[in-house]
Amino acid sequence: MSTTSTPPTPSTHGSEQSVRWHATWAQSLPDVRADGEWFADVTLRSHLRVSAGGDRVRLQFGNRFGDHPLRIGRSAVSTRGRTAAATFDGRDGVTVPVGSSVLTDPIDLPVGHHGAVKVDFHLPERTLFPPLFAGSGDFTCQMSEPGDHVGAAAFPAVTAPPFPMPDDADLTLHESGPFLRTVEVANRVPHAVVVCLGDSITAMGWPEIAAGLLPGGSGLSVVNRGIPGNRLRLDAGPANLSNGRSGLSRFEDDVLKTAGVAQVVVALGTNDLGLPGAFEPLGELPTAAELIAGYETLLERAGTADVRVRIATITARSGSDDYDERREQIRGAVNDWMIRALGPEVVIDFDKALRCDTSPLRLDRRYDSGDHLHPSAAGQEQLARTAVAALLAELP
């Protein structure tokens, strides 16, 4: 496997070189080779809700962690009752090399602010990707029966197995499927893209909720680059590859190479505290100083790229499976450093937004999914409101 990521090459049809494109929906693609399955001649349909609208749209497909070239057959985008085919340099399909990403040609299909979009693409060859789980609401991916069903009015979806969750957990899971990495739009008015770099708390969907709360004329687009199990400092170990490369490792690909990026919200650190001793070696538990150094590195790298950084405090975790006093002391020291050293211009206080007033080391019952770590649906909405308030406060 290639250890570098090739930036996508857009079409160069004359005036296209002067068009400005901005990400309006995104996800991160973790390494799922350890738990993937092989499928052939199937169509995937992703149900998405974008952030900012635009006059035209294009798609980015990625094969960052593949062992084999990825063959994509026909593909299409649907919104507002219209469907348009996607092409690659004028051709119906494309082969994505290992470690690379590709962009479709621009598609003449207007997309509305916070609009619902469907993306279909056919995988004609034997392809490895993770099983698709039943999602919810606007964030689901379906796999078809065998065949090319791109654009089908009645999509012949295969029933997905339920995602195994605790019976008492109020978790909202969003399943957007493999390979589709980014949706971009072209706007007459430029948009500042806010990339949310996070773990499962981010992947669960507060950025998409935040995008819907932003007024259409805000000039902002919010996209989600969260990976469940992701850490700030260290890549996932060999037994947990789907937890992804660390925030530090993927910052270049997932933030700086996002079209139109102007800001990043870093919401990482929870798994740096929680995974060591359970899923990763205990010796990987960081000190407060080591975590702080990780945030400082991201601040420096973003500043060099002229990208504004917002850092979210680490939310309460008392009562969770991996909670102990040592980890709590580290969390408290890191959050204190953020608030004291960085201040409200940089910090978004997710901890304050979700914690219980009378027992501040715990999540408020309204915002607790039941595992005392992940926010409930109401907690996700609270995080979205908190992020939007911070983003809008800086607008002229």
Side-chain angles (χ1 to χ4, degrees):
M1 184 187 79
S2 171
T3 58
T4 60
S5 177
T6 303
T9 303
S11 302
T12 55
H13 301 301
S15 62
E16 291 304 325
Q17 294 180 342
S18 62
V19 171
R20 296 189 65 181
W21 291 87
H22 305 84
T24 188
W25 176 90
Q27 67 174 345
S28 293
L29 301 179
D31 188 342
V32 296
R33 289 172 297 171
D35 51 11
E37 296 183 18
W38 291 94
F39 300 92
D41 188 25
V42 295
T43 303
L44 299 183
R45 171 169 288 181
S46 292
H47 300 257
L48 316 173
R49 189 166 292 278
V50 301
S51 183
D55 301 317
R56 289 186 292 171
V57 62
R58 67 184 183 185
L59 312 173
Q60 183 190 50
F61 292 96
N63 189 23
R64 177 65 175 79
F65 296 103
D67 282 327
H68 303 83
L70 168 66
R71 180 63 188 172
I72 296 176
R74 288 199 314 132
S75 55
V77 183
S78 302
T79 187
R80 295 174 169 177
R82 294 179 56 195
T83 298
T87 58
F88 304 85
D89 289 330
R91 297 185 294 271
D92 285 342
V94 69
T95 297
V96 187
V98 170
S100 296
S101 298
V102 298
L103 284 167
T104 67
D105 300 322
I107 304 164
D108 289 324
L109 184 69
V111 176
H113 168 70
H114 206 228
V117 173
K118 290 187 296 187
V119 175
D120 293 357
F121 57 100
H122 179 224
L123 299 173
E125 299 178 357
R126 190 168 179 263
T127 308
L128 179 71
F129 61 88
L132 304 179
F133 300 109
S136 61
D138 298 318
F139 310 92
T140 61
C141 184
Q142 299 168 299
M143 185 177 73
S144 75
E145 298 173 352
D148 179 351
H149 301 284
V150 170
F155 190 77
V158 176
T159 302
F163 196 93
M165 297 301 301
D167 293 337
D168 59 349
D170 176 20
L171 290 177
T172 302
L173 297 174
H174 303 314
E175 175 61 60
S176 299
F179 308 126
L180 179 63
R181 188 166 184 269
T182 312
V183 178
E184 300 177 5
V185 290
N187 299 289
R188 293 188 180 94
V189 179
H191 276 70
V193 177
V194 181
V195 178
C196 302
L197 186 74
D199 48 37
S200 57
I201 294 174
T202 297
M204 286 166 63
W206 68 258
E208 286 85 352
I209 300 171
L213 295 176
L214 288 169
S218 68
L220 296 175
S221 176
V222 180
V223 300
N224 191 333
R225 298 284 197 196
I227 299 177
N230 202 227
R231 292 187 283 182
L232 171 67
R233 297 177 59 252
L234 300 177
D235 297 349
N240 303 288
L241 291 178
S242 62
N243 290 343
R245 297 178 298 154
S246 70
L248 288 170
S249 296
R250 64 190 180 99
F251 190 74
E252 178 76 19
D253 284 346
D254 282 356
V255 177
L256 299 186
K257 289 183 181 179
T258 298
V261 61
Q263 298 189 47
V264 57
V265 176
V266 179
L268 289 166
T270 291
N271 292 312
D272 293 70
L273 300 178
L275 295 186
F279 298 97
E280 302 289 357
L282 181 59
E284 294 184 357
L285 180 67
T287 64
E290 287 171 334
L291 263 183
I292 289 168
Y295 293 119
E296 289 178 328
T297 298
L298 287 188
L299 285 164
E300 181 180 353
R301 291 172 63 186
T304 300
D306 198 26
V307 171
R308 177 169 183 177
V309 181
R310 310 291 190 115
I311 297 180
T313 51
I314 304 173
T315 53
R317 51 192 299 112
S318 179
S320 63
D321 289 342
D322 49 37
Y323 178 83
D324 61 36
E325 185 175 348
R326 179 185 178 189
R327 296 167 209 258
E328 179 56 42
Q329 290 175 346
I330 297 169
R331 184 184 77 93
V334 170
N335 283 353
D336 288 346
W337 166 79
M338 290 183 190
I339 293 169
R340 181 183 70 254
L342 303 181
E345 294 79 14
V346 174
V347 175
I348 300 179
D349 201 345
F350 278 3
D351 176 39
K352 182 179 179 181
L354 295 186
R355 71 191 180 208
C356 176
D357 289 338
T358 58
S359 183
L361 301 187
R362 290 182 173 271
L363 296 175
D364 187 293
R365 289 181 61 186
R366 295 171 296 173
Y367 305 139
D368 189 345
S369 67
D371 66 2
H372 312 302
L373 180 66
H374 293 93
S376 62
Q380 287 288 320
E381 293 173 2
Q382 175 73 343
L383 292 181
R385 288 191 293 268
T386 302
V388 166
L391 295 172
L392 293 181
E394 299 298 321
L395 293 182

